[in-house]
Amino acid sequence: MAAGIRSTRASAAVDRLKRRTGVTTYSMARTGAGHFFLSEKAGAPPLCPPMELDDFVKFVDGLGPQPEKRITKNDAAFEKQLVRKKQP
């Protein structure tokens, strides 16, 4: 995977975190070995150890309030049917 794509995926995760939390000072950095870490602001101590891309994205996506899952009308109706079938 190209380095640019890796950085874009990691920075997109940080952008999502900024939108969820309203904290615009989060900063991502990349080590010479290609690992990523997150800080509350540029130059601040890291909030995590340097991580591989997938681990970093999972870590960042797990921070802050989580977005509500969207449920379609069909999904809601199906859930109601399941509840009714479980009741005697």
Side-chain angles (χ1 to χ4, degrees):
M1 186 181 298
I5 293 172
R6 292 171 53 88
S7 294
T8 300
R9 194 165 151 225
S11 63
V14 175
D15 287 341
R16 288 191 300 271
L17 175 63
K18 289 177 181 181
R19 282 193 302 275
R20 284 195 317 268
T21 62
V23 178
T24 59
T25 58
Y26 280 115
S27 177
M28 171 196 81
R30 188 168 171 207
T31 67
H35 294 100
F36 298 88
F37 62 90
L38 180 72
S39 298
E40 286 187 33
K41 60 183 179 181
L47 298 173
C48 63
M51 300 178 181
E52 292 286 335
L53 175 65
D54 291 338
D55 294 332
F56 178 78
V57 171
K58 285 179 190 175
F59 172 77
V60 173
D61 284 344
L63 294 175
Q66 299 300 304
E68 289 187 32
K69 292 184 180 182
R70 294 183 179 183
I71 298 177
T72 65
K73 289 181 183 178
N74 288 340
D75 289 339
F78 182 69
E79 289 291 326
K80 285 182 182 178
Q81 276 186 328
L82 287 177
V83 170
R84 277 190 240 140
K85 285 184 179 182
K86 289 181 183 178
Q87 295 175 352

